[in-house]
Amino acid sequence: MARIAGVNIPTGKRVPIALQYIHGIGPMFAEQICESLKIDRARRVNDLADAEVLAIREYIDANLTVEGDLRREVTMNIKRLMDLGCYRGLRHRKNLPVRGQRTHTNARTRKGPAKPIAGKKK
């Protein structure tokens, strides 16, 4: 099993698909990695030589921000918005949708389960 950026990537899958198991690498970056290292997209991970796995690992370390560093960067960006007190930061702080979605009827994933209104008796 190949280990790249601290992630065990699946060996039976094609290289561009397996690379997407790494947080921060999507379809575009996976294709870009294969193209720059001249690795055939149809090859499977278990067909790669150790030198090719090492080349992929070095390319990712040199050119991309992935896994823990990326998660830390995103967390710090959100924390910065919250500290500034800007609109997006306030929405993050209140656990409400940040990007302009309606909250009157939807947004249950972000807001959590519906809470019954207390004190409504007839």
Side-chain angles (χ1 to χ4, degrees):
M1 185 167 272
R3 189 167 177 83
I4 299 174
V7 177
N8 293 330
I9 60 173
T11 54
K13 295 189 183 282
R14 293 187 304 112
V15 176
I17 303 302
L19 286 174
Q20 292 178 44
Y21 279 73
I22 300 171
H23 181 76
I25 296 180
M28 188 189 79
F29 279 133
E31 294 290 333
Q32 181 181 324
I33 291 167
C34 290
E35 188 176 306
S36 64
L37 297 176
K38 296 182 178 42
I39 294 173
D40 184 28
R41 289 165 183 75
R43 289 180 64 193
R44 307 274 171 178
V45 175
N46 54 4
D47 297 338
L48 294 176
D50 290 339
E52 290 171 318
V53 174
L54 185 64
I56 291 172
R57 193 176 299 133
E58 289 172 350
Y59 181 88
I60 289 172
D61 287 343
N63 299 311
L64 301 174
T65 305
V66 292
E67 282 300 322
D69 294 336
L70 181 62
R71 292 179 205 272
R72 193 174 311 108
E73 188 176 316
V74 169
T75 305
M76 291 305 294
N77 288 340
I78 292 171
K79 190 171 168 47
R80 178 180 53 83
L81 291 171
M82 289 166 60
D83 291 343
L84 284 173
C86 65
Y87 181 77
R88 282 174 58 202
L90 294 175
R91 302 296 283 183
H92 273 292
R93 199 179 300 162
K94 293 177 184 176
N95 269 345
L96 291 170
V98 177
R99 297 184 178 178
Q101 297 92 331
R102 66 181 287 125
T103 58
H104 179 71
T105 56
N106 290 332
R108 290 278 44 123
T109 301
R110 186 75 180 175
K111 290 168 70 175
K115 299 166 203 79
I117 300 171
K120 273 268 191 163
K121 293 182 181 175
K122 284 191 175 184

